Amino acid sequence: MTVALDLAPASEAEVAEIIADRHARRAPLRIVGGGTRVENRARGEALSLSRLSGVVTYSPGEMTLIARPGTPLPEIKAMLEAEGQALAFEPPDLRGILSGNGTPSLGGMVAANASGPRRVLAGACRDHLLGVRFVDGRGRLLKNGGRVMKNVTGLDLSKLLAGSHGTLAALTEVVLKTLPLLPARTTLAFPGVTQATALRIFTAALSTPFEVSGAVHVGGTAYLRIEGLERQLAYRRDRLLALLAEHRPEVLDDAPWGAMRDVAHFADGGPLWRILCKPTDAPEICAGLRAMGGDSSLDWGGGLIWYRGPGNPRALAPHATLIRRDTATGPAFPPQSGAVARLQDGLRRAFDPAGILNPGLMDA
C-alpha cells in the first residue's frame, strides 16, 4: 500500500516512512534544505527537511552541540556566541552569490561540508562532526558516532555523509564540536600583489607556528588573518611582519573577512565555479582562467579557487564544481573516473540501492 505523507516531515519517523515508501516504488526524491549551497537540479519530488528543526542538546562546558538538520544557521551562531563559542570552521553564507531567499541550515552545511577561510587552521566541517543520525535510501533510521570525540569508534560514516549533498542519506540529527571564540584578531594586507606572489606569502606564513587563520587573495590584495589572545596576537603579528617585510605588509584592525568568506566579490552574476586544487598548482590554473576571460580569487592559502567567467575550467582543474550556472551548461559536479568512480558507485549502492536520493544531482 502506498503511503501518502506530507513531504515536509516533522519527525525522523516520517522521514523514514516517506523514504521507505519511495524506495519500494523506485520513486526519486530531491532532498531540500535551505537552498543556499548549490543549485539543486536533482530529479524527483522535493523532500524538505526544514520542519525537522531545533537544538536537541547544547553543552557549552563539553563544547558539544546536537541539533536537527533544519535548524537555521543564524540561530546556531547566535546561541553559540552568547556562550563565547563558535563553529570553528567558519561556514560561509552563499545566499548572496545564489540570489536565494532561503536560510542556511545546519543539515545543508554538513551535506555540503561547508567550510570558510579558517579551514587552513581549524579544518573542515567534517573534522568537527562527531556523529549523525540519518535515514538511508531504504528508509532505515541509523546512527553513527558519539557525543564526544573519544566515543567515535568504528567506521566513521559521518565523514562520508559530510560533502555527499544528500545523495547517500537524509540527515535527521548532527553532533558537532564547538570551540571558544577567539577574542582578538588582526590582518596583514599585501596590496598590489599577483596570485603567484600571494602564494609565496601564504606558503611562508602557513609554514610558521604562528597559527594563521585565513589566507585569501581578492582583487589584487593578499590577506593573512591571525586570531587569539591580545599578547599572543601582538607577538605573532610582529614575527610575521618581520618575516614578510619585503612584501611591505599593512596592518588592518578590521578587514572584510565575512564578505570574503561569502564570496561577495562575485555576487553580481555570471557563471561561478568552485575549484579545489593543490596550492602549488593555483598560479598556473589562475593563469589559464585569465586566458579564458574570467576573474578568480584564492582562499585556503591557494587550495580553493573561485572563478567567475566563461568556459569550463575542468580542462585546467578537474575538481571544479559549478555553483552558479547563469549561462553555463553541463554537469554541476565534476565527473569521476577509474577507482574513484567505482568507489562512489559502490557507496551509493550500499546506502541507496534503488537510486532514489537526489538522482541526477551529481551529473545534471
Side-chain angles (χ1 to χ4, degrees):
M1 181 177 65
T2 299
V3 179
L5 289 175
D6 183 0
L7 294 192
S11 69
E12 285 181 329
E14 290 183 12
V15 175
E17 195 168 358
I18 289 169
I19 293 180
D21 170 64
R22 296 322 191 265
H23 168 74
R25 295 194 284 124
R26 302 298 193 265
L29 288 168
R30 177 167 52 91
I31 300 176
V32 178
T36 63
R37 294 293 167 194
V38 69
E39 296 177 353
N40 190 342
R41 296 196 174 191
R43 301 185 299 274
E45 296 178 271
L47 173 63
S48 172
L49 300 180
S50 60
R51 292 177 62 200
L52 204 64
S53 180
V55 174
V56 178
T57 303
Y58 173 43
S59 304
E62 297 179 359
M63 294 189 290
T64 304
L65 166 71
I66 305 174
R68 300 183 181 93
T71 311
L73 268 183
E75 292 182 13
I76 295 291
K77 181 180 178 182
M79 181 185 69
L80 296 181
E81 286 181 351
E83 297 291 340
Q85 295 186 354
L87 297 174
F89 51 90
E90 198 177 9
D93 184 343
L94 301 185
R95 282 178 289 185
I97 63 173
L98 291 176
S99 301
N101 55 9
T103 301
S105 66
L106 197 67
M109 175 195 76
V110 173
N113 191 33
S115 313
R118 202 175 286 117
R119 187 186 190 280
V120 295
L121 177 65
C125 172
R126 63 164 51 95
D127 300 310
H128 298 256
L129 190 60
L130 299 178
V132 289
R133 291 171 64 91
F134 61 94
V135 177
D136 73 359
R138 293 183 175 91
R140 299 179 301 180
L141 177 59
L142 305 169
K143 64 179 181 179
N144 180 251
R147 297 192 176 203
V148 294
M149 186 65 74
K150 66 181 182 180
N151 287 342
V152 181
T153 59
L155 181 61
D156 194 351
L157 298 181
S158 61
K159 300 296 189 290
L160 289 176
L161 298 183
S164 67
H165 290 273
T167 59
L168 299 179
L171 295 170
T172 60
E173 188 176 284
V174 299
V175 186
L176 285 159
K177 176 175 61 177
T178 64
L179 288 175
L181 277 170
L182 298 171
R185 72 168 58 171
T186 194
T187 301
L188 306 187
F190 304 80
V193 299
T194 65
Q195 289 166 326
T197 300
L199 180 64
R200 290 195 291 272
I201 292 169
F202 297 158
T203 300
L206 291 169
S207 63
T208 70
F210 303 136
E211 297 184 338
V212 173
S213 67
V216 174
H217 182 271
V218 175
T221 299
Y223 298 89
L224 293 175
R225 179 179 60 187
I226 49 176
E227 300 172 289
L229 300 175
E230 286 283 0
R231 292 180 62 184
Q232 295 174 335
L233 203 64
Y235 171 78
R236 288 187 279 144
R237 177 201 62 208
D238 292 345
R239 293 296 298 271
L240 286 170
L241 285 171
L243 175 68
L244 302 167
E246 65 177 294
H247 300 290
R248 299 181 180 180
E250 301 174 0
V251 178
L252 304 179
D253 291 330
D254 190 24
W257 284 98
M260 292 189 288
R261 175 200 65 205
D262 299 339
V263 205
H265 49 285
F266 288 150
D268 55 350
L272 182 65
W273 297 79
R274 180 179 183 268
I275 302 169
L276 302 181
C277 66
K278 294 189 297 185
T280 50
D281 292 340
E284 182 179 355
I285 293 171
C286 289
L289 296 175
R290 286 194 298 274
M292 289 170 58
D295 302 314
S296 60
S297 63
L298 302 178
D299 200 345
W300 301 354
L304 170 61
I305 302 172
W306 289 98
Y307 170 66
R308 180 186 61 184
N312 188 330
R314 287 182 184 139
L316 301 168
H319 300 293
T321 300
L322 182 56
I323 299 296
R324 183 178 63 208
R325 287 182 178 272
D326 199 75
T327 57
T329 59
F333 287 82
Q336 304 296 338
S337 60
V340 174
R342 291 192 295 273
L343 177 61
Q344 181 173 278
D345 290 343
L347 286 171
R348 288 184 180 177
R349 287 194 299 271
F351 280 85
D352 179 22
I356 65 168
L357 300 180
N358 276 350
L361 176 64
M362 295 293 188
D363 53 13

